[in-house]
Structures are given as structure tokens and as C-alpha cells.
Amino acid sequence: MADTDSLQQSNPLSRKLNKILETRLDNDKEIVEALRALSTFFSDNSLRSRRNLRGNIEKRSLLISEQFESAFRNVKEQLDAVHQEITDMNNCCQEMTSRLKSARDQTSDLISSTTKLQAESHRIQMKEKVASAFLSRFQLQPEEAKLLRGPRSIPVNENFFAALTRAKEIHNDCRVLLRTKQQTAGLETMETMALHLEAGYEKLYRWTQDECRGLTGDLPEISKTLSKAMESLQDRPVLYQYCLDEYGTARRTAVVRCFVDALTRGGPSGTPRPIELHSHDPIRYVGDMLAWLHQAIASEKEMLLLLLDRSSSKTHASGDKEKEKAVLSHITEGVCRPFKVRVEQVIVSEPGAVTLFSLSNVLKFYGMTIGGILGEEAAVIITIQEMNELGTKMFFNSLSCHSGKLLEKIELPPPDLGPTESLKDTLSLLQSVLTSHDASVVLLDARQTDYSRIISCLVEPALQMCVMSASHLNAADMAAYMINCIHQIHTTLAVYEFTDKHLEMLAAQMDAHIDTLISEQASFILARSGLGNIYRVYQEHKMQKVPMSSVHGLDPQTTKAAMGKFDSYLSSPDSLRMPQCELLRTTRLRDTVHKRAVDAVCASYSTLYNMVMDASNNYPEPQSIVPRTIEQVTHLLT
């Protein structure tokens, strides 16, 4: 079997057959395409068909070649026809070229003449365009010249401003001509435009002046034409200033009239009511006048900015701002006298320190507010400042008079050692003044200065009055009385700002009087509890180098008797409180005095206890003399 297989592999025919049999026609694309084309005309798989297959293929190839030849013949015939037409066209073009060359030779003279005429015509047209452009650029139209130089009956409108702008542009453009060869034309044109401009500005000035004179209503309407006229007149500063003065005079008259009407007649139909009706209330009366002035000034500023075609939110040159402030100052200057007369009447009528102080704050606030609009040099601001100074002067004069009355008639302390009625009135006045100051909107620096001056003007005389009132009292009564008075002043000032310096001064004085009262209380306890005498003797002889038991007054019997009496005091320590301590106004102060007095008593007992327990002092049986330790005594007393 193996021999048979090796024989088949060595036979070429067998190998060929095996290769054909193993070949997969599906993977050979060319064979597949050939078979697909063959299937179109090889439909019957018979022996005859297979034998005629080659012939059929050759016949089919011959047929295809014949079809190609026929189609290519048609293409060739068409190309021959195109070639013939191109040849004919070439011959025609050559003939036309020859004819054109002949015609050009015959008409060359005519063409040359025509070209020269066309060039001349073009130059004339260019000159005409240049002349027209020069006239339109450097000359006014007749209707424009009529607007500028015509009679005053011709209204000032947008066409007038357009003509004026046009004349200014031509006048400026003539400067360019002066730099060229057209200097004569430039000078003549500039002179003509200067005459037009002068006539136009004169007419615009007269018209603007008349319009400004008519702005005497309460709230006149500023037209855009008038704003534009003022803007145009800025090129002529003198005329511009004249118009501003005219406007300021007209508005000044209107503001004065409106202010007097607001004082005496009120608003339209009586609303709001006349300001004079509130003359019985100084704060409201002066405040209403100032509020009206502030509103009127703000309205005048808005109208002025509208007249000058400016916005309050934009920045302007400092010169423009100064002009605006000068005009507003002139407008509002007329109300200074009626305002000043009425405010002086209110201040001089002496309405009271609190009212005077409130008036000063109102004047100060509106002075700063209006000053931001008009500037510090305006007549209205100067008047407000003068009234503020007068009100402040009258206010401090009133405080000085009040302080003088305190010291003229000294009121004796009451039995309860509390503050006197005059001190209470003074503190009530101080509280009212400071409260009204807190409600104001004055700057902090100014408020701090006012606080210091007001407090010094009232508190220092009040303290002096308290010292003079307590001069005839004993030390304990004077200390309790002064503590109560100073505490009342301290409590009044503690709720206000900028009073730290005065509070520290009051606290220091009160601490000094508290120390005095503590010393009196401790001395009172020591004197009545039996320790006072022996402690005094000990202080007198403690520097001597002798036993204390041998000193008269510190002998064991006397010391033991004093300690026994002190021990009975320890059973009821509250029995030895001075009545002056109970008259203190606050529990905190009473407890402070009691605690520190007890501490002083404990310190004295501690000194005596250590003296007795010291062996060098030769006290027999010291435990029987001082049966209680220092800790026990401290515990009982505290």
C-alpha cells in the first residue's frame, strides 16, 4: 500500500490531476469572472456545445471587433468635418485681418484727431469737477448764508446750527489753503467766512439771551435748541459768559420768589403747607427751609447741566466745574437774606440748649451737603456757616449759664446722700444733648470734638458743685455722697461714644472716694469690735525691740479682753456696717466696700494674731488669747 502511494506521487499526471482536483475555484476571481461571462452564451452543456466552444468564442471576439471598427469610423468622419470647419474659419480670420489692416491705414488721421478731442474734453470735465468741488467745499449755499446773516425773525433751528458748523469748517479748512499756492483764494474765503460767523454768533447770542431771560418759571423746560446754542457759544467765551449771567439772573429771581412762596403760601393748592406755619417748632422750621434749599439747589444744578448739555455722572474740566458753581452761587445768593433773618430770629429767641444744639447739627449737616454741590465759597454756604457758628455760640452760652447757676447756689446733699436735683437736671440736660447728637449725621471727627467740649462744659462744673456741696460733711458721708454723684455721672456717660477719657477720670475719682469709705468702714469695725485700740498701740510700738506683752495696752489681759469682744463681733458681722455704706446706690458698690473693708479687718487681725503667737513677745498661753485662727476669721467674715 505504501508502494502504491509513492508511485502516485512520482507520476506527473497524477500530481497534475490532484492539483486540479484540490483547486477551489471559488477563491480564483479571474476564473469566476470568466465563467460568469461564458455563461451568457454557453447555456447548453452538451458534447456538441463543448466542441464548438472555441469557435463560438472566436466568433464573439470577431463580432466585438467589427462593432468597435464601425464606431471608430463614425468618430473619424466627425473629426474630419471639424477639421474642415476650423480650416474655413482660419481662412476667414486671415481675410478679416487683412481688411482691418487696410481700414486702419486709411483712418489713422481720423483716430488721432478724435483722441486729442477726447483728451481735451476729459481735461475740461476734470476742471469743472474741481471747480464745483471747491465751491461746494469752500462756499456756503445761499440759503445757509441767509440763515446766518438774515433778520432776527428767521428762527434758530437745526438748519441754523448746520450752517454755523459748515461756516466753521470752511474757516478752518482755509488754513490748509494758505499753505498751498492758493493763498489769495484762502484769504478771501477766510474773510468771507469770518463775516458769516460773526453775524451768526451775534444772532445766536441775541436769541439765547432772550431765551434765558424767559426762564423765570418754577421749573422751566430747557429745550435742546437752547442747550445746543450754549454749546455753540462756547467758541465765544465773552458771549457765553454774558448768556450764563443772564440765565443766572433769571433763575435767581425765580428761586427767591419760589422760596418766599414756600414760606408764606406753600405749594400748589396748599400742599405742602407753608413753612411759616411751623415757626413754633424751631427744628422743623429751620430743617424745612434747609431741605427746600437743598432740593432747589439740586434742581437748579440739574437744569444748569441740561442747559450746558452735560451729565452729572461725567467728569469735566475744573474750569467748567468752577463756572457751574459760580452760576449756582449767583442763583442762590438771593435767598441768603430772608433765610438768615428767619434763622437768626429762631436762635436769638433762646429756644433752649437742646434745641440750639439740634439746630447747629442741622445747619452743619446741610452746610456740608449743600457745600458739596456749590463749594465752600458760595454765599449760601457762608450764610449757613454763620448761622451754625451763631447757634453753636448760643448753645455753649446756654450751657455756661446753666453751669454758672449750679455754682451760684449750692444745693445741700439730701438725707439719703444721693445726687441733688440740680445734678439730676444737669445730667438730664447732658443726656438730651448727647442723644440729639447721636441722632445727627455729622462727621465723626466733628462729633468727637463736640462731645469733649460739651462734657467738659457740664461735667466739670457739676463735679465742682458736688465737692462744694459736700464740704461740710464728715469723711464717710462725703465719700458716700461723692460716690453716688460720680456714679450717676458715670452711668449717664457710659452709653455714649467718645467718652472714654472722661469715664477714666470719673472712675479714678470714684476709686479714691471708695478707698476713703473703705478705710472709714474698716476703722469703724476695728473701733467697735475691740481691735482698734490694740492695733493702734501695736502700730506705735512695733519698731521697738521689746516684747509686746510688756507694752501698756498690749498686755495679755487687755489683749485677751479685746479678742473676746472681737469674737462676739464675729457672731454677727453685719451689725457693724456703717449707714453710709448702705446708702450707696448700687449693690455692686456696697459689696465692693464691704468686701474690701473685711479684707482690711482680716489683715489687721492677721497682724495681731501673728504678734500674739510670736514667742518673742512672751504672751502666756497664746491659744487662749486668740482662740480663732486667721483662716477661721476670714471664713466667718467672708
Side-chain angles (χ1 to χ4, degrees), residues 183-393:
Q183 294 183 356
T184 303
L187 287 174
E188 292 179 355
T189 305
M190 185 177 287
E191 291 176 359
T192 304
M193 290 304 109
L195 294 175
H196 286 312
L197 286 174
E198 291 302 323
Y201 279 119
E202 180 66 21
K203 178 179 179 181
L204 184 61
Y205 164 66
R206 297 300 179 188
W207 180 86
T208 305
Q209 195 176 41
D210 292 340
E211 290 291 319
C212 289
R213 287 173 180 169
L215 298 176
T216 56
D218 293 350
L219 290 173
E221 182 179 357
I222 307 296
S223 64
K224 293 183 178 180
T225 304
L226 181 57
S227 299
K228 198 164 186 178
M230 292 297 295
E231 182 181 3
S232 299
L233 284 174
Q234 291 185 17
D235 295 335
R236 297 293 186 271
V238 176
L239 301 181
Y240 177 72
Q241 187 61 45
Y242 285 163
C243 290
L244 280 180
D245 294 342
E246 199 68 43
Y247 171 81
T249 302
R251 292 310 305 159
R252 175 175 176 170
T253 303
V255 169
V256 172
R257 187 190 68 251
C258 292
F259 182 61
V260 174
D261 289 345
L263 289 172
T264 58
R265 298 174 57 186
S269 303
T271 306
R273 301 176 67 188
I275 299 177
E276 295 283 0
L277 292 179
H278 305 290
S279 58
H280 62 281
D281 185 355
I283 304 299
R284 181 172 181 180
Y285 182 46
V286 176
D288 287 349
M289 285 191 290
L290 288 169
W292 188 94
L293 285 177
H294 178 253
Q295 183 179 3
I297 291 170
S299 300
E300 292 298 326
K301 182 177 180 180
E302 290 297 326
M303 283 193 294
L304 180 60
L305 292 176
L306 185 61
L307 175 69
L308 303 180
D309 195 18
R310 295 172 187 165
S311 173
S312 57
S313 61
K314 296 180 180 179
T315 57
H316 307 292
S318 58
D320 295 338
K321 290 184 177 180
E322 293 301 324
K323 287 183 180 179
E324 294 171 9
K325 291 181 178 180
V327 174
L328 290 175
S329 176
H330 177 66
I331 291 173
T332 55
E333 187 177 0
V335 300
C336 292
R337 181 170 180 78
F339 172 75
K340 183 177 182 179
V341 169
R342 286 164 174 79
V343 176
E344 281 182 343
Q345 289 177 349
V346 172
I347 294 175
V348 175
S349 64
E350 297 183 359
V354 178
T355 302
L356 286 172
F357 189 63
S358 299
L359 284 175
S360 298
N361 288 333
V362 170
L363 289 166
K364 187 181 299 182
F365 168 71
Y366 277 102
M368 292 185 296
T369 304
I370 300 175
I373 301 175
L374 299 180
E376 298 297 329
E377 298 180 357
V380 172
I381 302 303
I382 294 174
T383 301
I384 294 176
Q385 291 175 349
E386 290 176 354
M387 294 298 98
N388 179 32
E389 293 173 359
L390 177 61
T392 304
K393 181 179 179 181

Side-chain angles (χ1 to χ4, degrees), residues 45 52 56 99 118 122 132 147 223 238 269 275 302 356 412 421 486 506 511 545 589 591 593 608:
N45 189 9
N52 295 332
N56 291 336
R99 293 172 62 186
Q118 288 177 348
H122 181 68
S132 299
L147 287 172
S223 64
V238 176
S269 303
I275 299 177
E302 290 297 326
L356 286 172
L412 296 177
E421 291 299 324
I486 295 174
L506 292 173
D511 289 341
K545 302 299 182 179
L589 290 176
D591 293 342
V593 171
L608 296 175

Side-chain angles (χ1 to χ4, degrees), residues 537-546 548:
V537 174
Y538 171 75
Q539 293 293 329
E540 293 175 354
H541 296 84
K542 66 180 180 178
M543 302 305 296
Q544 298 178 6
K545 302 299 182 179
V546 296
M548 291 298 168

